[in-house]
Amino acid sequence: MMGLADFEDDADMAEYVLGLSSRRAARALERRIEREPALRESYHEWIRMLAPMNSGFTPVRAPNVFSRVESRLFPAPAPRRKVPLWVPIALAGGAALVLAVKGALILEFIRLLF
């Protein structure tokens, strides 16, 4: 009867044979395969089961999609446009002109009242 550890070993072996294990897990499993005959037999069985799925395919290197996904999720901020020096000066001058006209109108209104 298979225990939970046997199922975990079987799942780990399937991931290893498919190339889905992390490097650390793969190295640990390789050391165990060398020491444990039952695990070695499981390894060979998984190779036999999965070998037909691999026929006719040429191995290819997976593209590095992480950087593209990351750049789409977190795009670089747009560069700030430089404001020409005359824009704030013109705005300040315009505000000063508005205040001067408003002040002149208030003074003229007061002069007409008295």
Side-chain angles (χ1 to χ4, degrees):
M1 185 165 150
M2 285 184 78
L4 182 59
D6 295 326
F7 282 116
E8 288 176 0
D9 285 347
D10 207 37
D12 291 342
M13 188 58 68
E15 289 178 355
Y16 174 75
V17 171
L18 291 169
L20 302 174
S21 299
S22 67
R23 284 186 183 172
R24 183 177 179 200
R27 299 301 170 251
L29 198 57
E30 288 166 358
R31 287 190 296 271
R32 287 187 60 205
I33 289 170
E34 291 175 9
R35 292 188 317 262
E36 300 175 29
L39 206 56
R40 191 171 326 130
E41 180 56 38
S42 175
Y43 168 73
H44 291 296
E45 184 62 29
W46 275 103
I47 293 288
R48 283 190 292 274
M49 286 189 300
L50 297 175
M53 293 172 59
N54 205 19
S55 63
F57 294 101
T58 304
V60 293
R61 187 168 170 83
N64 181 11
V65 296
F66 181 75
S67 59
R68 290 192 316 221
V69 169
E70 189 176 43
S71 67
R72 289 185 71 187
L73 288 174
F74 309 106
R80 294 185 70 186
R81 294 188 326 171
K82 276 198 142 189
V83 177
L85 182 60
W86 63 267
V87 171
I89 293 173
L91 289 174
L97 180 64
V98 167
L99 289 174
V101 169
K102 194 173 188 180
L105 289 174
I106 291 172
L107 288 176
E108 183 62 27
F109 179 72
I110 292 172
R111 189 180 66 79
L112 290 174
L113 286 177
F114 299 107

